[in-house]
Amino acid sequence: MPVLIVALIAAIAAPARCGPPVANSIVLPHREETLLPYVARVYSDPAAKDDSDAYYEILKDGKPVYLQKAKQKGEKFYIGTMSKDDPEAAQVKMGMDITGDRQPDLVISEWTGGTNCCLVLHIFEIGPTFRILGTIDTKFAGAGPYFVRLDKNLQTTGMAIQISDWSFANWHADFADSPAPKVVLRFSDDAYRVSPDLMRDSAPTAKDLEARAALVRNYVPSAKGSAWPDAEVSPQLWAMMLDLIYSGNAGDAWKFLDKAWPPKIGGKEAFARDFRAQLAKSPYWPGVEAMNASKHPSDKNDQSAGPSPTAAE
């Protein structure tokens, strides 16, 4: 069975601070879109004295079925994408079938504001039955588009959601140098789950991997010596390892570690232990781990997933 993305995707639970609509909400400035019998409204009240300067509500037949308030000032909500100029804007407008289950859907984008932050996607089914389908926290966002059609099977009408896994943000590196491997989610069995078929890719050639390993070995700060975690090791080491693991090539990732580890730096085993521990913190790791453990007809690389992130040293 696929593993639910429990930490980020709540298929049935409403978010905190939800409640009945404000009695005089209709008088506040708002934007709205309609797909009868549903109306989606996004409000902004900069003069509000509490944290509810923004919120949105969904009505069915004129009656409220959902409301979410901002958790802090500066947050903004959008119906669909944040900008109508976004490349996927037309594909996720109110009423489009986002999940592929042939029911109309609604996407609400939440921008939480702040430095390097943060986009949350709220997805609802607005057919005969109103349902909360998923709440996906993209963390530090990154470059869009987020809703994409990656499946070449034309019978699949749903869109995948492509985001970055920021579990290694600021891990032994500045944020600007922190790797964030790509994750693709697809709606399946009433939840958004890691989609191995849309994430698998061929590993770089042996020549390319050797060239990248040389860059890590020759990273100038590593020439000072010392041992992990005090030593300076290029974050390109775990960036490459993550790219390999998140494309289904975990065996190549551990081989890359052996090739790329700087000769003057000790503690490779300690690095591997710390790397596995950090990897296990990712809410997507169960799905990525299962992808690497399974066989696939197109695989040409070593299928070994290497030591488990939770295994003892």
Side-chain angles (χ1 to χ4, degrees), residues 40-282:
R41 291 177 178 153
V42 171
Y43 297 87
S44 178
D45 182 13
K49 298 186 183 301
D50 61 8
D51 291 337
S52 304
D53 56 334
Y55 64 97
Y56 69 93
E57 63 178 350
I58 304 170
L59 300 93
K60 180 180 182 182
D61 293 319
K63 298 179 180 179
V65 292
Y66 196 84
L67 178 144
Q68 181 182 352
K69 295 182 178 181
K71 298 181 178 67
Q72 59 187 3
K73 287 188 179 296
E75 291 188 30
K76 295 181 180 180
F77 296 104
Y78 303 84
I79 301 171
T81 58
M82 290 177 59
S83 171
K84 299 304 179 185
D85 295 330
D86 287 344
E88 73 268 40
Q91 300 184 80
V92 298
K93 65 183 181 180
M94 186 174 184
M96 299 296 286
D97 178 12
I98 305 298
T99 63
D101 62 359
R102 304 188 185 280
Q103 294 295 325
D105 298 315
L106 169 65
V107 175
I108 299 290
S109 296
E110 175 186 0
W111 180 252
T112 64
T115 304
N116 296 323
C117 244
C118 287
L119 178 66
V120 183
L121 303 172
H122 305 277
I123 305 170
F124 306 90
E125 183 178 301
I126 52 172
T129 301
F130 174 79
R131 291 199 299 157
I132 305 167
L133 300 180
T135 298
I136 302 174
D137 188 347
T138 72
K139 294 295 183 183
F140 303 108
Y146 304 102
F147 293 90
V148 293
R149 295 191 184 278
L150 299 174
D151 198 337
K152 297 180 180 180
N153 179 3
L154 297 180
Q155 295 181 349
T156 301
T157 59
M159 302 186 73
I161 297 179
Q162 182 174 275
I163 60 176
S164 299
D165 183 353
W166 289 98
S167 297
F168 280 78
N170 298 312
W171 190 77
H172 297 281
D174 293 337
F175 180 82
D177 295 324
S178 297
K182 180 182 70 176
V183 174
V184 180
L185 308 174
R186 181 159 51 184
F187 194 76
S188 176
D189 296 331
D190 287 331
Y192 278 97
R193 307 169 189 271
V194 168
S195 179
D197 288 346
L198 299 181
M199 290 177 60
R200 290 182 186 275
D201 200 359
S202 300
T205 65
K207 182 178 180 181
D208 190 9
L209 286 173
E210 177 53 41
R212 299 189 190 196
L215 290 176
V216 175
R217 290 195 304 268
N218 297 326
Y219 182 60
V220 173
S222 295
K224 299 175 183 178
S226 190
W228 181 268
D230 299 320
E232 295 189 62
V233 178
S234 171
Q236 289 301 312
L237 170 61
W238 52 96
M240 187 72 251
M241 292 177 68
L242 289 170
D243 283 347
L244 288 165
I245 292 170
Y246 279 60
S247 60
N249 300 289
D252 292 291
W254 295 104
K255 293 178 181 178
F256 182 79
L257 171 61
D258 291 335
K259 293 179 181 178
W261 190 256
K264 293 186 177 181
I265 302 297
K268 183 178 71 172
E269 292 76 14
F271 166 86
R273 179 198 63 215
D274 293 347
F275 175 83
R276 292 195 300 268
Q278 189 68 20
L279 191 60
K281 294 178 181 180
S282 167

Side-chain angles (χ1 to χ4, degrees), residues 200 248 250-251 291-296 299-306:
R200 290 182 186 275
M291 173 179 66
N292 281 283
S294 64
K295 297 290 183 180
H296 191 270
D299 287 346
K300 297 179 181 179
N301 301 291
D302 184 355
Q303 285 295 307
S304 170

